[in-house]
């Protein structure tokens, strides 16, 4: 019969030999300058501490962790071809769609079906941009945001607008008056913020015909849709009229942000995260937060206002086997999408939770009020719609950046621009 000391020694030795299940994350590195990456990093530390000895998430550093350009997609495509994708990583919807072509992404639909309480915890429609044509689910949504337009109340008030314009006609009238008074009406960058306005102009148009959900995927639908033609020509007119900042073709949102943060520009389109990351910081002029309003888009008619409501990014997995690592992957994804972590992410970034959260918890969670008010208002607007990034082909942004300056400069007409934009956005990776 073994002594108690021997039994203790054997149990201790067995415990010491146990190793946690290790998975890698490609979007969890520390970043004091990026609130989303920083939240991911801190959430990873919380997960590892809570599951010490059972699971461990190791951080896989990469320079494209939160870049939105074509380089990030190409980076993950290379990893997929080498069978070297991280077990967990974060991409936007258009990148995910392109990466599914490799056959190396995990279909999470069976995992969600196997855990109905997890599946039913999400808000409505959050999987639409992250799903495949045959019912696959390629990612777990990161957030559900309402994206609006920030405006400087004092600048708009100085040209007779005590409230944000309700129609595009009023919007353009305000822009004309702001320009005449020596102000930048709307800050744009030729990419992100410009395309948010393009989405607003299309999404509130009565003839949009679900273009931002369906038509944007296909080359022929760009030219044939009157809402797209009208939106594109309207944006061009604003550019040529000089309502925008001088560096509005830079392709870098920070140039558009700087125009608003300095008090030079009256308006800029962006998501709720801009409040905590820029408007409330020392890079903004003193008192800008108190002067700032956050509104839905104007409409083509007074009762036709709208907002971009979107889950445009999600957590994907490069682990397709059903083995012990699957257990760790699903545990981490469930942790990130828990109400507690979604609220923590909201507090740190301003992003709205993708899951259903108790109303009392929301009201007491100290969410930034500007973004929260727009999110609450969005569901009652006449129009809600995704922005271009959600359903567009993977090379859409690159194509727009290349073609937009030439189009505005008169080197091609609207039909040529839209045809080339659609074709170039759908082109295969050009290496």
């Amino acid at each position: 019969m073994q002594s108690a000391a021997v039994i203790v020694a054997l149990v201790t030795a067995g415990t010491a030999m146990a190793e946690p299940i290790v998975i890698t994350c490609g979007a969890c590195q520390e970043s004091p300058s990026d609130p989303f990456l920083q939240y991911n990093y801190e959430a990873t530390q919380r997960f590892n501490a809570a599951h010490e000895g059972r699971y461990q998430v190791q951080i896989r550093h990469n320079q494209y962790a939160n870049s939105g350009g074509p380089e990030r997609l190409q980076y993950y495509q290379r990893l997929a071809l080498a069978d070297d994708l991280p077990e967990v990583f974060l991409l936007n919807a258009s990148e995910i769609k392109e990466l599914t072509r490799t056959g190396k992404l995990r279909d999470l639909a069976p995992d969600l079906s196997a855990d109905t309480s997890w599946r039913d915890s999400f808000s409505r429609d959050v999987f639409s941009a992250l799903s495949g044509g045959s019912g696959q689910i390629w990612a777990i949504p990161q957030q559900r945001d309402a994206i609006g337009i920030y405006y400087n109340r004092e600048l708009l008030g100085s040209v007779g607008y005590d409230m944000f314009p309700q129609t595009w006609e009023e919007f353009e009238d305000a822009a004309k008056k702001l320009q005449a008074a020596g102000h930048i009406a709307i800050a744009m960058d030729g990419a992100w913020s410009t395309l948010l306005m393009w989405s607003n102009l299309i999404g509130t148009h009565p003839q949009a015909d679900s273009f931002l959900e369906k038509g944007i995927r296909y080359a022929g639908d760009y030219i044939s849709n009157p809402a797209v033609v009208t939106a594109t020509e309207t944006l061009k007119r604003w550019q040529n009229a000089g309502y925008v900042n001088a560096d509005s073709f830079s392709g870098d949102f920070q140039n558009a942000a700087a125009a608003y943060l300095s008090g030079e520009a009256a308006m800029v389109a962006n998501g709720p995260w801009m409040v905590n990351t820029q408007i409330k910081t020392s890079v903004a002029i003193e008192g800008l937060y108190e002067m700032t309003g956050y509104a839905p888009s104007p409409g083509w008619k007074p009762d036709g206002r709208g907002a971009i409501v979107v889950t445009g990014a999600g957590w994907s997995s490069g682990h397709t086997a059903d083995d012990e690592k699957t257990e760790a992957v699903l545990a981490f994804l469930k942790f990130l999408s828990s109400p507690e972590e979604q609220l923590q992410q909201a507090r740190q970034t301003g992003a709205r939770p993708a899951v259903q959260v108790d109303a009392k918890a929301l009201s007491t969670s100290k969410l930034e009020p500007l973004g929260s008010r727009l999110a609450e208002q969005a569901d009652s607007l006449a129009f809600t719609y995704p922005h271009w990034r959600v359903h567009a082909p993977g090379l859409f942004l690159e194509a727009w950046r290349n073609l937009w300056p030439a189009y505005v400069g008169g080197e091609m007409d609207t039909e040529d621009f839209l045809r080339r934009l659609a074709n170039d956005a759908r082109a295969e990776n050009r290496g």
Side-chain angles (χ1 to χ4, degrees), residues 179 182-191 193-194 197 238-262 264-269 404 408:
Q179 184 201 37
H183 302 297
I184 298 167
I186 180 163
M188 292 199 281
D189 56 11
S193 59
T194 301
M197 295 307 298
W238 293 348
Q239 289 273 172
N240 287 332
Y243 300 152
V244 300
N245 41 307
D247 52 0
S248 61
F249 291 137
S250 69
D252 185 350
F253 176 71
Q254 294 311 315
N255 291 330
Y260 184 78
L261 298 171
S262 66
E264 298 176 71
M267 297 173 279
V268 66
W404 178 245
V408 172

Side-chain angles (χ1 to χ4, degrees), residues 127-364:
F127 289 105
S128 62
L130 306 171
S131 300
S134 301
Q136 307 97 327
I137 294 177
W138 300 118
I140 299 302
Q142 181 190 30
Q143 80 282 335
R144 182 179 185 266
D145 283 327
I147 299 176
I149 302 172
Y150 292 100
Y151 64 97
N152 186 313
R153 290 192 183 92
E154 291 191 4
L155 289 182
L156 275 177
S158 70
V159 295
Y161 281 85
D162 294 328
M163 61 184 296
F164 191 75
Q166 303 293 291
T167 66
W168 290 117
E169 184 178 5
E170 290 179 354
F171 183 91
E172 193 157 349
D173 175 70
K176 186 182 298 184
K177 290 175 178 175
L178 285 161
Q179 184 201 37
H183 302 297
I184 298 167
I186 180 163
M188 292 199 281
D189 56 11
W192 170 255
S193 59
T194 301
L195 284 164
L196 289 177
M197 295 307 298
W198 191 67
S199 297
N200 284 324
L201 286 160
I202 293 170
T204 57
H205 197 286
Q207 294 174 281
D209 192 28
S210 300
F211 172 80
L212 292 168
E213 295 178 3
K214 299 176 183 177
I216 198 168
R217 304 175 190 178
Y218 308 110
D221 290 355
Y222 288 35
I223 306 161
S224 61
N225 193 307
V228 178
V229 173
T230 300
T232 305
E233 292 180 342
T234 299
L235 271 177
K236 177 183 178 180
R237 185 171 68 249
W238 293 348
Q239 289 273 172
N240 287 332
Y243 300 152
V244 300
N245 41 307
D247 52 0
S248 61
F249 291 137
S250 69
D252 185 350
F253 176 71
Q254 294 311 315
N255 291 330
Y260 184 78
L261 298 171
S262 66
E264 298 176 71
M267 297 173 279
V268 66
N270 200 20
W273 51 84
M274 188 176 179
V275 177
N276 287 336
T277 60
Q278 293 181 307
I279 294 174
K280 278 186 167 182
T281 70
S282 60
V283 301
I285 60 170
E286 187 176 354
L288 183 63
Y289 177 74
E290 289 72 24
M291 290 185 275
T292 292
Y294 194 41
S297 162
W300 294 98
K301 297 180 179 180
D303 59 351
R305 301 174 74 199
I308 297 168
V309 177
V310 63
T311 299
W315 290 97
S316 291
S317 176
H319 184 73
T320 57
D322 286 321
D323 56 24
E324 64 176 9
K325 283 197 174 185
T326 300
E327 181 186 325
V329 167
L330 296 178
F332 188 48
L333 293 176
K334 290 175 184 179
F335 177 82
L336 292 171
S337 57
S338 66
E340 296 79 14
E341 282 299 316
Q342 289 274 293
L343 279 172
Q344 181 62 32
Q345 177 182 252
R347 284 189 288 267
Q348 287 187 226
T349 68
R352 195 77 173 175
V355 300
Q356 300 169 46
V357 177
D358 179 75
K360 184 176 180 181
L362 272 175
S363 66
T364 60

Side-chain angles (χ1 to χ4, degrees), residues 35 47 91 96 102 219 224 234 265 277 290 324 350 417 424:
F47 177 84
L91 293 177
I96 290 167
T102 67
S224 61
T234 299
T277 60
E290 289 72 24
E324 64 176 9
F417 170 70
D424 289 1

